[in-house]
Amino acid sequence: MQPESDAIGAEPQPATQLTVVYGPALLAYDFGPEHPFSAMRGRLTFELMRDTGLLDAPGVKVVAPVEADREELLTFHTKEYVDFVQNACVKGYGFLDGGDTPAFEGCFEAALNVVGSSLKAVDLVMTGQTKYAFLPVGGLHHGHPDRASGFCIFNDIAVCIKRLQAGYGLKRIAYVDMDAHHGDGVVYGFYDDPSVLTIDFHEDGRYLFPGTGELHETGRGSAVGTKINIPMPPYSSDQSFIYAFDEVVPAVIRQFKPDIIMLVCGVDSHGGDPLTDMNYSAASYLHAAGSLRGLAAELCQDRLIVWGAGGYDPATCAKCWTEVGAALAGYALPDFLPAAWRERYRNLTGEEAPVGLHENNTSDNTLQRVEKMVGWLKMKVLAF
Ligand SMILES: [Zn+2]
């Protein structure tokens, strides 16, 4: 008779390496054909993951979206705001904020599905059913307790942090955000909470929405030093991002010793994005995901959740997020985009599809300015 385990006392390993939370319900989070946040981004991403074989790779699983309930929203959002969205959703028109985030029929349920899917990812990771979770649609980091902002109705990440704290008793949560826009909803939502470390790389707020996230914004009260903002100069490329990331993130995260790591992998900081002035390539996202994967293994039992968040060039979203997913799964992707996916891309966008899947590193002339900011952070904020 064979023993059930050949290593007595060994930690049980999760059967799943990477869980992708995705399904048609998430595509309902769509502000319409004239709006940059369309369902096409998520759909083309999922289809590229499928067509490259990633979703059939060993240890990769797809889990369907789940709808959150009102009570879960109320752990971060105010009752008045939740009521307001529910009413606006019934009407199906008007704006939920100053003019970027229109209401649409079904928007309340669509937003509930985004939040519920992120909570599902938290549960799968925290119960050890998967090492990593990836949500191509989600990471609505501009949502505030009492208002929508920047295409974000409810802040799924903030609701996840609340569950990690109240439901799982976590005392140390690390959040890294490389979307081009400052993750203001998360950063200010926990600005005086020392148990939440935020490290936010974004295009300098003088040039891009929402205008916040200056270098000297480092947290309040007992949380001073747990909020790190790195406003990258416009046109920053892989060279500057990877330099700043390596100088700051591993040391700060090792010092903080998190119980879980979250990555907002918004690819609107990519050179191909139509809404920002940044110039990263896939190399930056792969670098961040790879480094955080290593830190999660070293510090927090592999617990890592990655959100797609922003990104408004559908081909860039599909390519970069598929590359990140493959890196987390340890899966080797083909060099060229599958013909079937390229055909679907042409049909959906009316444009010629790209050919290659991988990209080269980009360099820039912003490194000196980034070095100065990192120097200031090391001197004034970081104790190393
Ligand atoms: Zn963004």
Side-chain angles (χ1 to χ4, degrees), residues 141-142 179-181 268 310-312:
H141 62 169
H142 298 305
D179 186 282
H181 304 93
D268 47 13
Y312 305 101

Side-chain angles (χ1 to χ4, degrees), residues 155-320:
N155 193 322
D156 55 330
I157 299 170
V159 175
C160 284
I161 292 174
K162 292 291 188 181
R163 175 172 288 186
L164 287 165
Q165 292 176 325
Y168 291 99
L170 295 198
K171 299 280 187 284
R172 311 187 81 75
I173 297 162
Y175 168 90
V176 178
D177 187 332
M178 59 185 302
D179 186 282
H181 304 93
H182 183 228
D184 54 346
V186 179
V187 172
Y188 299 126
F190 299 90
Y191 204 60
D192 49 13
D193 183 345
S195 76
V196 181
L197 168 72
T198 65
I199 307 174
D200 199 308
F201 300 86
H202 49 273
E203 182 174 340
D204 189 324
R206 286 174 293 181
Y207 309 103
L208 191 71
F209 175 90
T212 51
E214 292 182 32
L215 194 61
H216 61 78
E217 296 181 58
T218 60
R220 189 166 43 227
S222 61
V224 167
T226 61
K227 306 295 172 281
I228 294 165
N229 286 294
I230 303 166
M232 303 292 286
Y235 313 114
S236 290
S237 300
D238 296 324
Q239 188 181 22
S240 286
F241 173 77
I242 292 172
Y243 164 79
F245 185 96
D246 284 350
E247 288 293 311
V248 173
V249 175
V252 171
I253 289 196
R254 283 198 179 100
Q255 196 171 57
F256 185 73
K257 297 186 182 66
D259 302 312
I260 191 167
I261 299 174
M262 300 171 152
L263 170 64
V264 168
C265 194
V267 298
D268 47 13
S269 43
H270 185 279
D273 193 85
L275 298 193
T276 81
D277 313 301
M278 302 297 276
N279 196 30
Y280 304 167
S281 80
S284 286
Y285 310 103
L286 283 168
H287 185 81
S291 172
L292 294 176
R293 176 186 162 163
L295 289 163
E298 179 187 327
L299 302 167
C300 52
Q301 300 160 59
D302 294 309
R303 292 171 183 160
L304 173 65
I305 303 178
V306 180
W307 283 272
Y312 305 101
D313 174 52
T316 297
C317 293
K319 287 166 58 174
C320 292

